[in-house]
């Protein structure tokens, strides 16, 4: 999904969901289902995304990263439904939970990027700028080049050209 292959992401996560069970392997199911929701929303399949979100919400996993991901999923679904106010609340909640979970720096920056992209979609580019700059500086590893390029485009800058 992060690399832009929405259909491939959907297929991979659907397979992962099929190979798990919400009762016997709740953690694995919830993890896979949460990651399936993002491509489903991107493909406009909100009914299935909402069904999965409801099923995941019933699973009690006492782990901050799980709670933060649930908040991120809720934000994406609210935004897709046009409920911008609730989306913003849940984007912020996701970031706040990740900030408390000190071992989840990568996920926190992921959540900050998701929120910044939401702000850009709402025309609040200046507000998103500082978040995007912080996230961009975190992803300085060459393997993060696709994420860096996406953030630079959100900031209105052209990513550096890589000759191969």
């Amino acid at each position: 999904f992060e690399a832009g292959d929405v259909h491939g992401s959907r297929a991979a996560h659907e397979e992962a969901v099929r190979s798990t069970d919400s009762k016997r392997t709740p953690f694995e199911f919830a993890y896979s289902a949460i990651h399936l929701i993002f491509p489903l929303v991107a493909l406009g399949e909100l009914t299935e995304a909402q069904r999965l979100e409801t099923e995941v919400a019933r699973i009690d996993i006492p782990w901050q990263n799980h709670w933060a991901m649930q908040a991120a999923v809720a934000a994406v679904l609210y935004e897709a439904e046009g409920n911008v106010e609730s989306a913003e609340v849940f984007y912020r909640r996701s970031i706040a939970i990740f900030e408390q979970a000190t071992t989840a720096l990568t996920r926190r920056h992921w959540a900050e990027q998701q929120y910044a992209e939401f702000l850009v979609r709402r025309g609040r580019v200046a507000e998103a700028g500082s978040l995007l700059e912080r996230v961009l500086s975190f992803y300085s590893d060459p393997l993060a080049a696709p994420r860096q390029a996406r953030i630079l485009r959100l900031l209105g800058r052209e990513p550096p050209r890589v000759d191969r």
Side-chain angles (χ1 to χ4, degrees), residues 47-110:
T47 302
E48 179 61 10
Q50 290 163 334
R51 185 195 68 74
L52 276 174
E53 191 274 336
T54 299
E55 193 168 349
V56 168
R58 291 187 202 122
I59 300 171
D60 181 29
I61 298 175
W63 185 41
Q64 286 177 313
N65 287 2
H66 175 70
W67 301 331
M69 289 301 292
Q70 280 185 298
V73 162
V76 167
L77 285 168
Y78 279 127
E79 183 179 6
E81 295 166 355
N83 186 339
V84 176
E85 293 80 18
S86 292
E88 183 160 3
V89 166
F90 279 90
Y91 277 120
R92 288 176 179 263
R93 182 175 297 168
S94 177
I95 292 168
I97 295 169
F98 277 129
E99 284 175 342
Q100 293 173 357
T102 57
T103 61
L105 282 179
T106 302
R107 283 294 188 180
R108 185 186 92 203
H109 290 298
W110 171 85

Side-chain angles (χ1 to χ4, degrees), residues 125-163:
V125 177
E127 199 175 337
S130 61
L131 275 175
L132 290 170
E133 292 289 352
R134 184 168 59 220
V135 173
L136 182 62
S137 68
F138 179 78
Y139 290 106
S140 59
D141 187 299
L143 294 175
R147 184 178 297 275
Q148 292 170 343
R150 184 173 178 161
I151 292 168
L152 286 169
R153 282 191 292 278
L154 287 165
L155 287 166
R157 294 188 232 153
E158 190 61 34
R161 194 177 155 103
V162 177
D163 295 323

